[in-house]
Amino acid sequence: MTIPTYEDIVAAAGRIEGHAHRTPVLTSRTANQELGAEIFFKAENLQRMGAFKFRGGFNALSRFSEAQRKAGVVAFSSGNHAQAIALSAKILGIPATIIMPEDAPASKIAATRGYGGNVVTYDRYKEDREAIGRRLAEEKGMTLIPPYDHADVIAGQGTAAKELFEEVGELDAFFVCLGGGGLLSGSALATRALSPKCKLYGVEPEAGNDGQQSFRSGSIVHIDTPKTIADGAQTQHLGSLTFPIIQRDVDDILTVGDAELVEAMRFFAARMKIVVEPTGCLGFAAARKMKDQLRGKRVGVLISGGNVDIERFASLLA
């Protein structure tokens, strides 16, 4: 599969229009004051199914042929991609099988089933979800849509950044969460097209800095499943499509600790009255650490999602 371009993002925006929400860009005077900058939050926690993943999932499935639609889709995910594929499949009338870790948040498993997905669970510390996905695809003739390393998925995710730049204009810096790199690589394509001078930062949890290691070493680094509260970024490696885009178009990869994610969750809840999952806090947590360099700047932060069990949310904030 070839590496997508900004033109693919423009095409994806046309396909998802009327299906995906054009999410709001939020501002906070308190955040602006704290960082001495003008911060624009692209609130993908308010997207359908609660995360940016709906964009890429719907874009990929909407390109299926008649035969692919009949045979169905298979996907693997810790939660948000699972729900995105299940919901997109339901809208488009495609049968969906979703491979999820048995310890995924109960709300994410329940939501995936609620959208009509047939959930197959596995042990994320002992089994290989990619191998299970390939086996099921071969056995049943289904099309496998991976969570990030797919041109249509990357193009769909890039539509969030495209909307942000269309709404607020060029930025000086932009912080985007990084797991497998679908959102960051799509955002990179949009950033270089619409705000070429903007400094673009990918942000990972400290425990899972495979992207940072890959970026610094120049080749994809594989790690064990990291233990972090940012379950959406518990990926083990970047993709063969996402990595070259990140290498070419991203300025740096930063990391933040779990405690900093909890502080960001608390800020969003207390000051902005929004629920953001730990992974969705990566960008803002990193921007707070860099506030000395951001003074007087226009800064974008992509909030990736808000899917977190309410009990877990409460216990983390307590």
Side-chain angles (χ1 to χ4, degrees):
M1 200 174 253
T2 51
I3 289 175
T5 64
Y6 179 65
E7 283 61 47
D8 294 312
I9 293 176
V10 174
R15 281 184 213 106
I16 70 171
E17 196 176 353
H19 296 285
H21 297 322
R22 195 178 174 97
T23 51
V25 176
L26 306 177
T27 55
S28 157
R29 275 195 285 194
T30 312
N32 290 352
Q33 230 170 343
E34 186 193 320
L35 275 74
E38 205 177 350
I39 318 289
F40 301 96
F41 297 96
K42 180 63 169 164
E44 285 294 294
N45 55 316
L46 303 177
Q47 185 53 263
R48 286 187 81 167
M49 49 72 40
F52 75 94
K53 294 275 190 181
F54 180 73
R55 296 170 179 272
F58 191 87
N59 184 49
L61 265 57
S62 68
R63 302 200 67 195
F64 273 24
S65 68
E66 207 38 60
Q68 283 178 301
R69 285 180 182 229
K70 258 200 195 87
V73 62
V74 60
F76 47 80
S77 161
S78 65
N80 285 339
H81 178 64
Q83 291 172 75
I85 292 293
L87 176 57
S88 300
K90 186 179 185 179
I91 293 166
L92 295 164
I94 299 169
T97 297
I98 317 289
I99 301 151
M100 298 183 76
E102 55 201 9
D103 64 344
S107 61
K108 290 184 176 181
I109 293 178
T112 305
R113 289 197 169 117
Y115 292 134
N118 166 35
V119 175
V120 174
T121 58
Y122 75 101
D123 180 338
R124 77 161 96 211
Y125 299 104
K126 291 181 187 154
E127 293 179 281
D128 180 357
R129 65 186 191 169
E130 297 180 31
I132 299 168
R134 283 193 299 270
R135 192 186 72 235
L136 282 173
E138 278 163 29
E139 280 172 12
K140 301 187 175 168
M142 296 185 284
T143 302
L144 176 65
I145 298 292
Y148 53 86
D149 209 31
H150 189 286
D152 293 336
V153 170
I154 293 167
Q157 316 309 25
T159 60
K162 175 180 179 285
E163 289 173 10
L164 174 66
F165 289 115
E166 284 169 352
E167 192 160 327
V168 305
E170 296 196 26
L171 296 169
D172 298 305
F174 186 22
F175 294 83
V176 180
C177 325
L178 173 59
L183 181 63
L184 180 57
S185 56
S187 297
L189 296 172
T191 303
R192 293 299 156 240
L194 302 174
S195 186
K197 293 189 181 129
C198 176
K199 291 269 188 217
L200 177 61
Y201 302 102
V203 190
E204 298 181 295
E206 272 167 13
N209 74 329
D210 60 291
Q212 189 182 59
Q213 290 181 52
S214 305
F215 189 75
R216 307 261 155 97
S217 69
S219 60
I220 296 174
V221 171
H222 290 247
I223 60 167
D224 290 333
T225 301
K227 290 193 161 57
T228 168
I229 60 169
D231 65 292
Q234 281 182 302
T235 42
Q236 296 174 290
H237 58 87
L238 296 176
S240 56
L241 293 179
T242 62
F243 179 59
I245 300 171
I246 290 168
Q247 217 180 3
R248 181 190 70 199
D249 292 339
V250 172
D251 290 286
D252 203 3
I253 309 285
L254 314 169
T255 64
V256 293
D258 281 1
E260 290 160 317
L261 295 178
V262 172
E263 282 312 308
M265 284 172 77
R266 185 175 279 118
F267 181 92
F268 285 130
R271 295 294 187 165
M272 295 176 70
K273 314 304 173 203
I274 55 173
V275 172
V276 180
E277 64 186 277
T279 309
C281 295
L282 285 163
F284 184 48
R288 289 174 115 175
K289 280 171 88 165
M290 268 182 76
K291 66 179 178 192
D292 292 346
Q293 287 122 285
L294 299 175
R295 249 182 252 299
K297 300 264 183 15
R298 288 167 51 81
V299 180
V301 171
L302 212 155
I303 298 174
S304 62
N307 291 329
V308 54
D309 286 336
I310 285 302
E311 296 75 19
R312 171 128 176 89
F313 183 76
S315 71
L316 284 170
L317 295 193

